[in-house]
Amino acid sequence: MGYRLALPAGAELPLSVEATLYYQSIRPTFVNAIHGDHEAISQFRTAAAMNPPPAEVLSTLTFQVD
């Protein structure tokens, strides 16, 4: 997999690139999308609100483009 980024006009080499890969066990959009009257749903939403799953850094990379 690769990414292509458009550079702003006037950008000059060398460029420094920093990338961070994050992992989150449960996305906030998933928690917000759960609806219903079941007790388990209520308990899950309460637990997620009290202890939101953190976004953890899995890896970082910094390199220079000459």
Side-chain angles (χ1 to χ4, degrees):
M1 176 188 298
Y3 293 95
R4 291 180 182 255
L5 304 173
L7 297 177
E12 295 183 18
L13 298 178
L15 299 173
S16 180
V17 179
E18 296 179 22
T20 304
L21 176 63
Y22 292 93
Y23 171 78
Q24 192 168 27
S25 60
I26 301 174
R27 295 184 319 228
T29 54
F30 175 80
V31 175
N32 294 336
I34 297 175
H35 299 287
D37 294 329
H38 195 277
E39 182 180 343
I41 293 172
S42 176
Q43 290 174 348
F44 177 79
R45 289 181 62 95
T46 300
M50 292 174 62
N51 299 297
E56 299 183 37
V57 175
L58 287 184
S59 183
T60 59
L61 176 67
T62 302
F63 61 94
Q64 190 166 323
V65 178
D66 294 321

